[in-house]
């Protein structure tokens, strides 16, 4: 009964969305209200056959990652997202993880940023969703789970994570990450355990983190100028800007070329290069990180 209701709920949410709401052209001869099934499948990264099975109330139990992708594709509210998880007999995700709910308004802004790399992350630097140019620039950040989902955690525990920045910038990035984490942890509710657990873990495994944490620097990263090392187009210098959610738990980041550099042309080239080469590098980086932890 729940799976039948799950299918009916997905169909009702699909039919209320206009293609323009998710950045799709209306196109000719659209005979049904809202989105087509194949459009939802594309937005969620699922096969059309699999999504059709879900709407029919059949098929296997959807994973938590698939439910998160469907919630974003269908622009569900927080209450609707929780309802979707319960219909699928999955635990509602805690805030801050890779399956965290992204506010539909923030997703809408992200969808409108088609000519600049942009992504939504949590205050603990867990990447929730990226646009194609962000994947091309930074690599696919969606494959990490558990503590590794946080880029700050990987920064202090996996040398491969630092390949994104020139070695000369590592000390500055480390200090900035720690100051930002201290600000984010202090802003969270006293009952929150996620940030505290992350800090305790890093204090135990990273002497560099422990030394910087002892300095008590605190500062949110609201804007920054960064040099990024791309495996195909080389060094790119960008301005990184942040838009914070009302509760501070999420941030929309977008990257613009730094004035006085060649980065504008490089970012245009990036849109041509696409994500194929970067995806291969990202997979190699995840493998290298896993290998490093096993050796440790």
């Amino acid at each position: 009964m729940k799976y039948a209701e799950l299918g009916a709920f997905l169909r009702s949410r699909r039919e209320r969305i206009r293609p323009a709401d998710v950045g799709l052209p209306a196109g000719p001869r659209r005979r049904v209200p809202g989105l087509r099934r194949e459009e939802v499948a594309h937005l969620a990264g699922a096969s059309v056959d699999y999504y059709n099975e879900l709407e029919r109330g059949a098929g296997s139990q959807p994973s938590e990652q698939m439910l998160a992708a469907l919630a974003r594709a269908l622009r569900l509210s927080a209450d609707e997202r929780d309802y979707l998880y319960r219909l699928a007999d999955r635990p509602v995700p805690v805030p801050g993880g890779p399956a965290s709910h992204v506010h539909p308004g923030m997703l809408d802004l992200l969808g409108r940023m088609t000519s600049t790399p942009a992504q939504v992350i949590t205050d603990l630097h867990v990447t929730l969703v990226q646009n194609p140019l962000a994947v091309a620039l930074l690599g696919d950040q969606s494959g990490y789970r558990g503590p590794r989902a946080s880029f700050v955690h990987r920064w202090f525990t996996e040398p491969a994570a630092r390949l994104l920045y020139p070695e000369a910038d590592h000390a500055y990035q480390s200090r900035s990450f720690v100051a930002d984490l201290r600000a984010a942890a202090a802003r969270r509710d006293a009952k929150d355990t996620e940030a505290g657990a992350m800090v305790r873990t890093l204090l135990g495994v990273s002497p560099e983190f422990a030394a910087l944490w002892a300095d008590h620097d605190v500062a949110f990263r609201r804007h920054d100028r960064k040099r990024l090392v791309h495996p195909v187009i080389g060094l790119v210098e960008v301005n990184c800007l942040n838009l914070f959610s009302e509760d501070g738990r999420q941030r929309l980041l977008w990257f613009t070329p730094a004035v006085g550099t060649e980065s504008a042309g490089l970012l245009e080239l990036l849109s041509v290069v696409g994500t194929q080469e970067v995806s291969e590098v990202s997979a190699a980086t995840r493998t290298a990180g896993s290998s490093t932890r096993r050796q440790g």
Side-chain angles (χ1 to χ4, degrees):
M1 288 295 294
K2 272 193 171 183
Y3 278 14
E5 177 62 24
L6 173 66
F9 181 65
L10 288 174
R11 184 167 57 254
S12 72
R13 301 304 89 181
R14 171 174 62 84
E15 290 176 349
R16 72 175 182 172
I17 298 178
R18 298 172 301 174
D21 294 337
V22 292
L24 295 175
R29 299 181 181 178
R30 184 173 289 271
R31 294 172 297 187
V32 296
L35 298 179
R36 299 185 177 101
R37 291 186 181 90
E38 57 267 27
E39 291 170 335
V40 176
H42 171 73
L43 291 169
S47 71
V48 177
D49 288 342
Y50 177 76
Y51 182 75
N52 284 339
E53 288 292 305
L54 286 180
E55 278 210 7
R56 285 199 291 265
S60 59
Q61 182 187 29
S63 68
E64 294 177 41
Q65 290 74 32
M66 177 53 61
L67 292 171
L70 288 170
R72 293 166 189 163
L74 294 170
R75 301 297 194 264
L76 300 187
S77 68
D79 291 337
E80 290 171 332
R81 191 283 307 262
D82 293 353
Y83 181 65
L84 178 67
Y85 272 78
R86 293 188 177 100
L87 288 177
D89 288 322
R90 295 289 189 184
V92 176
V94 297
S100 291
H101 178 69
V102 182
H103 191 282
M106 196 166 280
L107 278 176
D108 181 60
L109 283 174
L110 179 70
R112 296 175 186 276
M113 293 181 172
T114 58
S115 60
T116 188
Q119 60 184 17
V120 178
I121 68 170
T122 72
D123 56 343
L124 301 185
H125 292 259
V126 175
T127 301
L128 301 178
V129 60
Q130 298 172 281
N131 70 7
L133 278 178
V135 174
L137 178 64
L138 307 170
D140 185 355
Q141 305 292 312
S142 64
Y144 298 100
R145 296 292 177 264
R148 295 187 70 217
S150 167
F151 185 75
V152 173
H153 182 278
R154 299 198 304 275
W155 179 264
F156 288 102
T157 60
E158 302 177 17
R162 302 197 174 199
L163 297 176
L164 184 61
Y165 293 90
E167 186 174 358
D169 298 349
H170 287 182
Y172 168 78
Q173 294 300 331
S174 293
R175 183 169 293 278
S176 296
F177 280 134
V178 173
D180 185 85
L181 177 59
R182 182 178 285 278
R187 187 171 186 171
R188 288 196 169 203
D189 187 272
K191 297 179 181 179
D192 177 82
T193 60
E194 183 185 18
M198 180 177 172
V199 170
R200 287 191 296 273
T201 297
L202 291 177
L203 286 173
V205 301
S206 172
E208 179 192 17
F209 179 86
L212 291 171
W213 190 258
D215 288 340
H216 293 272
D217 290 342
V218 53
F220 282 116
R221 300 190 77 164
R222 292 183 173 86
H223 53 79
D224 207 351
R225 184 158 173 161
K226 297 184 177 186
R227 298 192 302 164
L228 302 173
V229 180
H230 190 273
V232 178
I233 64 176
L235 189 68
V236 185
E237 192 163 354
V238 296
N239 296 311
C240 179
L241 306 172
N242 293 257
L243 174 65
F244 287 69
S245 63
E246 185 175 353
D247 62 1
R249 289 290 191 100
Q250 294 180 7
R251 310 171 188 180
L252 173 62
L253 276 63
W254 69 99
F255 302 85
T256 60
V259 176
T261 71
E262 298 180 354
S263 297
L266 292 175
L267 289 180
E268 289 182 6
L269 177 61
L270 185 66
S271 64
V272 177
V273 171
T275 62
Q276 180 176 357
E277 296 89 346
V278 182
S279 296
E280 294 170 357
V281 172
S282 297
T285 300
R286 283 195 288 270
T287 301
S290 300
S291 176
T292 299
R293 292 197 312 282
R294 287 196 297 269
Q295 293 173 5

